[in-house]
Amino acid sequence: MVPDIFHRDFRPIPYWWEAYTPRAGDLVDVPKAARVAIVGGGYAGLSTALELAKHGIDAVVLEANELGFGASTRNGGAVSGGVNIGKSFTGRSADVAPERADRLLSDASDAFGLIDRLIEAEKIDCFWEKPGRFVGAWTKKHFDGQTRRLAVLNSAAQSGAYMVPRERQREEIASDYYFGGMVVERSGKLHPALYYKGLLEACRRRDVPVCAQSPVTGIRRSGAEWRIETGRGTVSAGDVVIATNGYTGDLTPALRRRVVPVASHIIATEELPQDLARSLIPKARTLSDTRRVLCYYRMSPDGRRMVFGGRARFTQVDPTVSAPILHRYMTDRFPELHGIKITHAWTGNVAFTLDALPHMGQRDGLHYCLGCNGSGVAMMTYLGWQTARKIARAANYACSYDHEDFPDHPLYSGRPWFLPVVGGYYRLRDNLDRLLA
Ligand SMILES: Cc1cc2nc3c(=O)[nH]c(=O)nc-3n(C[C@H](O)[C@H](O)[C@H](O)COP(=O)(O)OP(=O)(O)OC[C@H]3O[C@@H](n4cnc5c(N)ncnc54)[C@H](O)[C@@H]3O)c2cc1C
């Protein structure tokens, strides 16, 4: 039986879509030619087009669905200035030399700087704030691991990170759920769909054609040019950028084999009583934790609702399945939210990579920026920006994410049949870790 957690006004769409709903708008014709064709109209695609326009290079953005259909209007809106250099599904970590690890962190910190500058320069009204993040430790061992990472985070990514012991945890969260945790001051939050809308408007101000309902169905070489076939016409271009992230399909099989689309799910609660709403996250930070099946959460921009996300399942499931699980995760942390109803529940695809790192580069002549690994608001904006600068020959250094080693795996062809098993295994490991903590 479906538990009684759904508000009478419940809608199975992102809460963010109340402010901007993905739409095709007045359909822009697919041009016959452009210097650069960009496949995918999320943050990465728009950011690429915007930066190219600033260099006087004309680009077309080709989006299969409505504008904002992908993860870019569905995410939690937590903005990180870091990157996890850790283990992926395969148990494989990226083979990263210490010098490159520092550059990966430093470039992730630049990604945070870029989004800050972009929002300011383009006057994007998206509730951008920089209150920092609290990452709760699931076990004492995780707390010790976080403590060991502090020095490198602060030196390479200027994270402004420090540890909060369990006795002082209630300064961060109205809960005793964690074993203390880490504060990362250099983190922020925004309204993801309004940030998207702002990027879209910035592209339109520069007359970039952003073509909705234009699925790219084929890309082939024709002499020195690419011929890109879409559902609404064919365009010739000198360069092509693939920015399809968790929605990468058969169009680019070699890239599809390198990203694993994992579902992530979110709920938003009804408006909470003001005092209760203010008390839950006293410093208004974003929160996440160190579990393998992590949860991430924050208050809505008006401070009235809890927006609570996590991998309730690793695959797309109906909100009647995911929402009760997330509601339980939420009340495990905040028992005072028992009885609070959910007004919105939704899902979207995150692109994981087999070395757990984001990637940009070129394969078979096509540029790509892919693989946010769950943390892509700043990073995918940045990789699009870096890709544009590379095409414009304006980059004065090679981005550390532009690396030829973008691994695949002999047992993975692009269809993630193993996700339910991995999800179950991760949940079991989380539970065991806590039992033994
Ligand atoms: C539920 C959820 C929560 C998240 N929370 C956070 C968070 O709090 N913080 C954070 O930093 N990151 C978060 N992320 C990740 C972040 O949302 C993504 O990294 C980011 O939005 C990816 O942007 P993108 O432009 O690369 O891809 P997307 O926004 O996913 O856009 C890709 C687009 O490509 C299009 N496409 C695919 N194939 C074709 C084709 N053949 N032709 C034309 N178009 C095509 C798709 O329709 C899609 O619109 C979250 C993601 C999800 C799903």
Side-chain angles (χ1 to χ4, degrees):
M1 201 178 82
V2 179
D4 182 24
I5 54 166
F6 294 98
H7 195 272
R8 61 179 178 284
D9 297 331
F10 174 77
R11 302 180 74 194
I13 59 164
Y15 168 65
W16 316 117
W17 290 10
E18 301 290 348
Y20 168 80
T21 310
R23 60 190 71 126
D26 293 335
L27 277 188
V28 175
D29 288 341
V30 173
K32 297 246 171 307
R35 168 71 183 77
V36 181
I38 299 162
V39 187
Y43 298 147
L46 294 185
S47 159
T48 309
L50 184 59
E51 185 60 17
L52 285 170
K54 290 179 185 171
H55 291 276
I57 297 177
D58 72 303
V60 54
V61 179
L62 302 163
E63 166 55 51
N65 298 287
E66 298 79 32
L67 302 178
F69 166 86
S72 295
T73 63
R74 298 169 186 263
N75 60 73
V79 182
S80 158
V83 66
N84 271 327
I85 305 172
K87 281 208 169 86
S88 76
F89 289 106
T90 55
R92 181 186 161 171
S93 301
D95 192 9
V96 176
E99 189 271 333
R100 182 168 173 235
D102 281 359
R103 287 183 47 233
L104 290 169
L105 280 167
S106 161
D107 284 351
S109 171
D110 282 355
F112 189 80
L114 172 72
I115 203 168
D116 197 23
R117 290 197 305 278
L118 198 55
I119 289 171
E120 164 86 27
E122 300 297 336
K123 303 198 178 6
I124 300 179
D125 210 354
C126 60
F127 298 96
W128 171 230
E129 293 173 71
K130 292 176 268 184
R133 170 185 298 212
F134 178 71
V135 186
W138 175 238
T139 64
K140 170 77 175 64
K141 212 167 144 192
H142 290 184
F143 182 87
D144 296 341
Q146 287 179 312
T147 310
R148 284 194 297 276
R149 285 192 69 215
L150 274 186
V152 66
L153 284 179
N154 286 332
S155 65
Q158 299 85 46
S159 297
Y162 58 90
M163 299 307 295
V164 176
R166 200 173 196 180
E167 315 78 82
R168 290 188 36 217
Q169 182 168 286
R170 280 192 169 256
E171 293 170 23
E172 300 295 334
I173 171 172
S175 173
D176 299 317
Y177 191 72
Y178 298 114
F179 281 72
M182 179 196 280
V183 166
V184 180
E185 292 281 7
R186 194 172 160 78
S187 308
K189 61 181 181 182
L190 46 66
H191 186 304
L194 290 180
Y195 172 56
Y196 180 82
K197 177 171 174 260
L199 283 181
L200 184 59
E201 284 166 356
C203 285
R204 285 179 172 152
R205 276 197 297 278
R206 289 167 177 83
D207 295 325
V208 175
V210 184
C211 305
Q213 291 172 1
S214 306
V216 174
T217 51
I219 304 175
R220 61 189 164 80
R221 267 273 184 217
S222 169
E225 295 206 310
W226 293 99
R227 301 274 292 162
I228 301 105
E229 283 151 31
T230 84
R232 295 200 303 116
T234 301
V235 54
S236 309
D239 281 293
V240 180
V241 179
I242 306 296
T244 47
N245 210 45
Y247 298 85
T248 303
D250 286 336
L251 176 71
T252 49
L255 294 174
R256 186 177 191 175
R257 284 205 318 275
R258 289 171 164 79
V259 290
V260 183
V262 178
S264 197
H265 309 272
I266 308 190
I267 52 174
T269 65
E270 62 185 318
E271 285 196 351
L272 306 173
Q274 210 138 23
D275 287 351
L276 174 61
R278 277 208 202 102
S279 69
L280 296 174
I281 307 176
K283 295 180 181 162
R285 300 193 200 278
T286 61
L287 280 93
S288 63
D289 53 42
T290 60
R291 287 174 51 146
R292 286 178 182 79
V293 181
L294 97 166
C295 290
Y296 49 92
Y297 44 107
R298 56 173 286 182
M299 299 308 289
S300 56
D302 63 4
R304 293 301 299 273
R305 295 163 192 261
M306 173 67 71
V307 178
F308 194 98
R311 311 233 158 82
R313 288 283 177 273
F314 278 38
T315 49
Q316 300 281 352
V317 288
D318 192 82
T320 52
V321 176
S322 58
I325 299 172
L326 290 176
H327 194 272
R328 181 162 49 78
Y329 289 167
M330 179 176 76
T331 50
D332 285 349
R333 285 149 182 86
F334 302 107
E336 55 274 63
L337 296 185
H338 270 294
I340 293 294
K341 303 261 196 268
I342 294 170
T343 55
H344 299 76
W346 68 96
T347 180
N349 281 355
V350 164
F352 280 82
T353 58
L354 300 174
D355 60 2
L357 286 178
H359 287 267
M360 63 173 273
Q362 253 179 301
R363 174 165 290 271
D364 305 326
L366 303 174
H367 296 271
Y368 59 81
C369 31
L370 296 169
C372 65
N373 293 281
S375 198
V377 176
M379 183 54 80
M380 298 318 293
T381 305
Y382 179 73
L383 294 187
W385 179 82
Q386 283 284 12
T387 302
R389 291 173 66 79
K390 183 175 169 184
I391 292 171
R393 299 185 194 282
N396 37 22
Y397 66 97
C399 175
S400 57
Y401 295 93
D402 189 350
H403 200 266
E404 62 202 21
D405 185 16
F406 188 1
D408 60 357
H409 192 281
L411 292 180
Y412 179 55
S413 63
R415 291 181 209 284
W417 49 270
F418 46 82
L419 284 180
V421 181
V422 172
Y425 172 70
Y426 279 6
R427 270 186 287 276
L428 180 71
R429 288 290 308 271
D430 279 339
N431 291 339
L432 282 177
D433 285 353
R434 187 78 169 210
L435 271 176
L436 303 173

